[in-house]
Amino acid sequence: MILLYISIGLLVLYSSLILYYRAGWQELKPFSPTAPGSSKKISVIIPARNEEENIGNLLSSLEKQTYPNHLFEVIIVDDHSTDNTVTVVNSFSFAKLIKLKFDNINSYKKKAIETGIAAASGELIVTTDADCIVQENWLKTIAAFKEETGVVFIAAPVVMECNSTIIQIFQALDFLVLQGITAASVQKRVHNMCNGANLAYERKVFYEVNGFAGIDHIASGDDMLLMQKIADHFPGKISYLLSKDAIVATQPAKTWKEFLASASGGPVRLRTIMT
C-alpha cells in the first residue's frame, strides 16, 4: 500500500511538472522580425574534430545565409582532427580555420570555443556544431531577435533528423521533449537549459563573466554552465528564440552503442550528439 501511495504521489508530481512546462511553452510567441535589418557583426564559432563527413554540409548551408556576407564570419576551430576535416574546410574560401594547439586539458570543446572567440571580430557570438545544418535565414533571424529584445544570451531550437529506424525515431522524440522543456524553462526562468548547437551571446558578455573560468575543469557544459554564469550576472537578459527560421538540425547516433556512449558522457574526446 505504501508503494501505491508513493507511486500516486510521483505521478501527481510528474503530471504537475509537465503541465507547468506546457504552460511555459504556451507563453512563448513565435518570433517574426518587425524592425529593419540588423547591421550587427556576427562571428559563427564551430569546434570540429574528425568531421569530414558532416562539416561540408554545414558550411554549404552557411554559404546560403541571407544575412549580408560582410556582416558575418565563420571560424572553424579544428580540434586535432586526424581525417580530412581540414581539407574540407579549406575548400570553402569564406571559412577561417584555426587549429587548436592545446592538449591534455579537461574540456577540448570549451577551449576550442574560447580560442574561436579570441580570434573573432563580431560583437555577437553564435555557436553551432559541425554535424548540424542551419536554415538560410538563421543568422538574419538571430540578429533581428537580438536587436528587438536587447537580451545578451539567446537559446534557440535544435531538431534531430531521423529516418524510419527505431533508434533514430526514439532519439528524435526524446530530443523533441528536451527542446520543449528547454524553451519552457527559459521562458519561466526556473532553471537554465540550452543546446550548444544553437546559441548566441554578446562577445563582451562572455569576457565580463570570465568566459569558461571556474567551469573549465568540467568536460561538458560549454552551453548550460556558461548560460548559468551569464544568467547570474545578467538576470532577465536570457531569452528563447522561437522561430522556424532559427531551427538548427543535428544528426542522431547511428547505433545503440554510439547512443549509449553519448548519453552517458562517453570518453572526453568522443564527439557527442547532445552537448
Side-chain angles (χ1 to χ4, degrees):
M1 186 63 71
I2 294 177
L3 287 177
L4 177 60
Y5 289 147
I6 292 175
S7 298
I8 293 174
L10 290 175
L11 177 61
V12 171
L13 180 62
Y14 178 77
S15 299
S16 300
L17 187 61
I18 293 300
L19 290 173
Y20 181 75
Y21 284 135
R22 183 173 183 271
W25 173 263
Q26 291 180 322
E27 290 175 10
L28 278 168
K29 303 299 181 185
F31 174 74
S32 295
T34 57
S38 172
S39 59
K40 194 174 297 296
K41 179 68 180 291
I42 297 175
S43 294
V44 182
I45 310 295
I46 307 163
R49 182 174 191 269
N50 293 338
E51 293 285 359
E52 64 176 352
E53 296 182 3
N54 300 306
I55 201 163
N57 294 327
L58 170 60
L59 292 174
S60 292
S61 65
L62 285 167
E63 199 170 29
K64 299 173 184 175
Q65 289 298 294
T66 56
Y67 201 61
N69 291 336
H70 68 283
L71 289 179
F72 78 94
E73 62 180 352
V74 177
I75 300 175
I76 310 296
V77 185
D78 176 57
D79 176 14
H80 305 85
S81 292
T82 56
D83 64 358
N84 292 318
T85 296
V86 170
T87 302
V88 175
V89 172
N90 284 334
S91 68
F92 292 84
S93 59
F94 67 89
K96 179 179 180 180
L97 179 68
I98 299 175
K99 290 194 174 184
L100 189 65
K101 299 179 180 179
F102 298 89
D103 211 341
N104 297 318
I105 54 179
N106 292 317
S107 179
Y108 286 86
K109 188 173 183 182
K110 289 196 190 81
K111 183 57 70 173
I113 294 172
E114 182 182 89
T115 301
I117 293 175
S121 61
E123 56 185 304
L124 186 65
I125 300 298
V126 176
T127 67
T128 190
D129 292 336
D131 61 348
C132 293
I133 297 177
V134 301
Q135 307 286 326
E136 64 178 11
N137 290 322
W138 181 53
L139 293 178
K140 180 179 179 180
T141 304
I142 290 174
F145 188 76
K146 164 63 180 170
E147 195 81 26
E148 294 187 29
T149 62
V151 295
V152 302
F153 186 101
I154 300 169
V158 182
V159 299
M160 184 169 286
E161 296 183 337
C162 69
N163 55 27
S164 58
T165 61
I166 293 177
I167 181 175
Q168 293 200 12
I169 292 174
F170 172 80
Q171 289 176 83
L173 291 175
D174 179 62
F175 203 79
L176 184 63
V177 172
L178 284 175
Q179 282 297 298
I181 293 174
T182 295
S185 66
V186 175
Q187 176 66 22
K188 287 291 190 180
R189 296 177 181 170
V190 288
H191 55 80
N192 294 309
M193 289 183 66
C194 61
N195 190 299
N198 200 1
L199 293 181
Y201 43 87
E202 293 183 6
R203 186 174 186 268
K204 65 178 182 179
V205 164
F206 178 80
Y207 288 114
E208 284 181 31
V209 301
N210 294 318
F212 296 119
I215 57 175
D216 53 358
H217 63 288
I218 305 172
S220 60
D222 58 279
D223 42 22
M224 288 194 286
L225 293 181
L226 177 63
M227 182 184 190
Q228 183 63 56
K229 289 186 70 174
I230 294 176
D232 290 341
H233 284 76
F234 298 90
K237 288 291 186 176
I238 310 292
S239 191
Y240 187 88
L241 169 54
L242 182 61
S243 170
K244 290 182 179 179
D245 287 327
I247 293 175
V248 164
T250 190
Q251 302 299 314
K254 296 180 176 62
T255 65
W256 286 108
K257 182 179 179 179
E258 183 182 342
F259 170 69
L260 292 174
S262 65
S264 63
V268 172
R269 300 299 297 274
L270 177 69
R271 177 183 63 80
T272 61
I273 60 171
M274 295 182 187
T275 56

